[in-house]
C-alpha cells in the first residue's frame, strides 16, 4: 500500500496531528493508499510557504523565457512518466488504462503552451492623448488555492497549475481525496524541473475540512475550483466575502443534438463517446441525446446494439472499455437517480442495474444505461447524474432542438451532429452553452477556452483568457509634458484629465 504525505515548501511532511485518510480502490474495495489529512494548521503552513515564495520573487521575479524553459523541462519529464502515472490514476479512480494513457499523453502540452504564452503575452499602451504615456502591464495575482476533483485528477490539476505558475503565481493545491497521488507527483516533478520550492504545495484531505480551510484562508488571493455546483457556490461565496477572484468549473447536462443528415454510424459512435467515456463521470458528459424524429428509430436501434457490446472489466486491462464508478457513494447516486426515473415512468431501454458478472462483484460497476420516454418534467431530464446514464429524446426541427437543449440549469457543453455546417453554426448562435462541438465531443486543447454558462460556473480554463485571469493589471501613467501643471498657481481655466 502506498503512503503519501503533504507537500509543503518542497518537502514531504505528515499532517501536524498525524491524521490520515484511506484511498479505496473502486475495483477491489481494498485500500490502495493512505494519505495525510491536512488540518487547518497544515493548510496555513502551505499558504505561508507559498506566500514566502511569492514575496521573495524567487519565481515570479525570473524572466518569462526562463520560466518557460523550466516548464518545458517539466513537460519532457512528464512525457517520460506518462505510463506510470496513468497506471496510478487507474488504480485509484478506476478509469480504464486506455483512457488514462491517451489523456495523460497530452498533458505536457499545457506546460508548453502556457510557457509560450508567458513569453509572448504583452502589455499595452493605450493612447490617452499628448503629454501622457500610459503603460499597462500584467502582473501575477499572488497565492492561488486550486481545488480539484477526482474524475480527471491530473488533467484538471494540470489545467490550473500550468497557467497559474506560468503567470508567476504560487499555488496550494487541494486535490480530491479520491485521487490525490498523481497531483502530488506533479508537484514533485515541477520542482525536479526547476520550479523553486514553495511555489507549488499540495495539501491532501477531505473537502469539508482541508478544502474548506484552504478556501477560507486569508492568505489566498485567488480561488480556482472544479467540482459539483454546490461546492462551487460555497467556494465562490467565500471568494465574494473576501473580494478575491474565483474561477469555477462546475456541473453540466450536455445535449448531443443529432440531425437526420448526420451519418448514422458516426453519430452513434459520437454519442457513445460523449456519454460513456470515463464511465460518464465528466462535467461535459452527453447526458441528453436529442435525435431528429426522422432518424430516431434507426439511431436508437443502432445505439442500443452498440451499448450492449461495451466491455466492462478490470480498468487495468487494455481491452476494458468501461470501468467502475469512482466510489460506492457515486454508484449509489447513479442507481438512485435511475430508480427515481423508473418510478416516474421512464423506460429503461438498456442497463439500469449493476452487472451480474461475478468477476465484477467487488467493484463499483453500473451498466451503461439508456433511458427513453423521458419528458422535460421528469427529474432525470434536469439533474446531473455524473455516471453512465443518458436519455434519448426525439425533436422535430431546429427550433425544437434549441428549446430542448436550452431547457437546463447548466450551460457547460454540447455537441451538434450534422453535415450542414451553416445549420450547425445557426444552432451554436442560439445555444446558452460555453463549449459546443460540431461533429465531435469532449475535445480539449490548452489553446481552446473551457468554461460554462448559467449554473456551470464562472470564468474559463485554458487559452490566453485563463492566463489573463491569473494576472492583474497595473496601469502606469507618465507625464511627458515639458513643465508641470500648477492647478493652484492660477485661476485660469485648466483641463483636468
Ligand atoms: O465533488 P465535490 P464530489 C459533481 C458531480 C458529482 C458531485 C459530487 O455531479 O456527483 O459533483 O461529487 C472539494 N470547500 N462533480 O462530492 O465535493 C473536494 O474535496 C472546499 C462535477 O466528489 O464538489 C474536491 O477536492 N473544497 C465535477 C473538490 O472540492 C471542497 C467533478 C470537488 O469535490 C468543499 C466532480 C468545501 N466546502 C464532481 N467541499 C466537474 N465539474 O467535473 C468539497 N470540496
Amino acid at each position: 500500500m502506498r503512503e503519501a504525505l503533504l507537500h509543503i515548501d518542497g518537502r514531504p511532511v505528515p499532517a501536524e496531528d498525524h491524521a490520515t485518510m484511506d484511498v479505496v480502490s473502486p475495483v477491489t474495495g481494498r485500500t490502495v493508499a493512505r494519505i495525510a489529512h491536512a488540518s487547518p494548521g497544515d493548510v496555513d503552513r502551505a499558504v505561508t510557504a507559498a506566500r514566502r515564495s511569492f514575496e521573495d520573487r524567487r519565481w515570479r521575479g525570473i524572466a518569462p523565457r526562463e520560466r518557460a524553459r523550466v516548464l518545458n523541462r517539466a513537460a519532457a519529464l512528464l512525457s517520460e512518466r506518462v505510463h506510470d502515472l496513468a497506471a496510478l490514476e487507474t488504480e485509484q479512480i478506476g478509469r480504464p488504462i486506455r483512457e488514462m494513457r491517451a489523456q495523460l499523453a497530452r498533458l505536457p502540452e499545457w506546460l508548453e503552451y502556457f510557457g509560450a504564452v508567458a513569453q509572448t503575452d504583452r502589455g499595452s499602451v493605450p493612447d490617452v492623448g499628448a503629454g501622457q504615456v500610459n503603460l499597462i502591464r500584467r502582473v501575477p495575482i499572488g497565492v492561488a488555492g486550486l481545488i480539484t476533483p477526482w474524475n480527471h485528477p491530473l488533467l484538471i490539476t494540470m489545467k490550473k497549475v500550468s497557467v497559474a505558475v506560468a503567470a508567476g503565481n504560487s499555488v496550494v493545491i487541494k486535490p480530491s481525496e479520491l485521487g490525490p497521488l498523481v497531483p502530488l507527483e506533479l508537484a514533485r516533478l515541477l520542482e525536479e524541473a526547476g520550479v523553486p520550492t514553495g511555489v507549488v504545495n499540495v495539501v491532501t484531505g477531505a473537502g469539508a475540512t482541508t478544502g474548506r480551510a484552504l478556501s477560507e484562508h486569508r492568505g489566498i488571493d485567488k480561488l480556482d475550483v472544479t467540482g459539483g455546483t454546490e461546492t462551487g457556490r460555497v467556494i465562490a461565496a467565500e471568494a465574494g466575502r473576501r473580494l478575491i477572484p474565483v474561477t469555477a468549473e462546475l456541473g453540466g447536462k450536455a445535449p448531443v443534438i443529432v440531425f437526420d443528415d448526420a451519418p448514422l454510424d458516426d453519430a452513434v459512435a459520437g454519442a457513445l463517446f460523449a456519454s460513456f467515456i470515463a464511465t460518464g463521470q465528466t462535467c461535459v458528459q452527453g447526458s441528453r441525446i436529442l435525435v431528429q424524429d426522422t432518424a430516431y428509430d434507426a439511431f436508437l436501434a443502432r445505439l442500443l446494439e452498440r451499448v450492449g457490446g461495451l466491455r466492462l472489466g478490470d480498468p487495468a486491462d487494455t481491452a476494458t472499455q468501461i470501468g467502475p464508478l469512482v466510489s460506492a457513494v457515486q454508484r449509489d447516486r447513479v442507481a438512485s437517480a435511475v430508480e427515481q426515473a423508473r418510478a416516474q415512468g421512464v423506460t429503461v431501454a438498456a442497463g439500469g442495474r449493476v452487472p451480474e458478472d461475478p468477476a465484477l462483484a467487488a467493484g463499483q460497476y453500473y451498466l451503461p444505461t439508456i433511458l427513453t420516454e423521458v419528458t422535460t418534467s421528469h427529474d432525470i431530464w434536469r439533474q446531473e447524474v455524473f455516471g453512465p446514464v443518458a436519455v434519448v429524446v426525439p425533436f422535430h426541427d431546429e427550433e425544437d432542438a434549441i428549446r430542448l437543449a436550452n431547457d437546463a440549469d447548466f450551460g457547460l457543453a454540447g455537441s451538434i451532429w450534422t453535415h450542414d455546417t451553416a445549420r450547425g453554426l445557426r444552432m451554436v448562435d442560439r445555444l446558452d452553452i460555453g463549449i459546443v462541438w460540431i461533429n465531435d465531443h469532449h475535445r480539449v486543447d490548452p489553446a481552446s477556452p473551457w468554461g460554462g454558462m448559467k449554473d456551470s460556473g464562472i470564468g474559463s480554463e485554458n487559452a490566453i483568457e485563463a492566463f489573463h485571469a491569473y494576472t492583474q493589471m497595473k496601469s502606469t501613467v507618465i507625464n511627458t509634458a515639458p513643465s508641470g501643471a500648477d492647478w493652484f498657481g492660477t485661476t485660469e481655466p485648466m483641463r483636468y484629465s
Side-chain angles (χ1 to χ4, degrees), residues 147-151 156 174-178 205-208 211-212 215 225-228 231 234-235 249-251 282-283 330 333 384-386:
I147 296 173
T148 61
W150 45 263
N151 54 338
I156 293 173
K174 206 306 270 172
S176 166
E177 52 276 38
L178 302 179
R212 184 165 168 210
S215 61
V225 56
T226 297
T231 304
V234 170
I235 293 172
E249 206 272 61
L250 309 173
T282 80
C283 48
Q330 199 60 25
R333 278 187 195 139
E384 182 182 49
V385 177
F386 222 68

Side-chain angles (χ1 to χ4, degrees), residues 69 146 155 177 283 331:
R69 268 190 208 125
L146 315 182
L155 166 67
E177 52 276 38
C283 48
R331 182 167 74 170

Side-chain angles (χ1 to χ4, degrees), residues 54 59-62 64 67-68 71 114-115 117-119 121 138-142 160-170 464 466-472:
F54 189 72
W59 175 243
R60 72 160 149 154
I62 66 173
R67 290 208 295 267
L71 297 181
F114 282 113
V117 171
Q119 291 184 83
D121 194 53
R138 291 187 174 274
V139 294
I141 294 177
K160 299 181 193 306
V161 175
S162 55
V163 60
V165 168
N169 299 280
S170 295
I464 289 167
F467 185 84
H468 287 171
Y470 268 96
T471 63
Q472 50 195 338

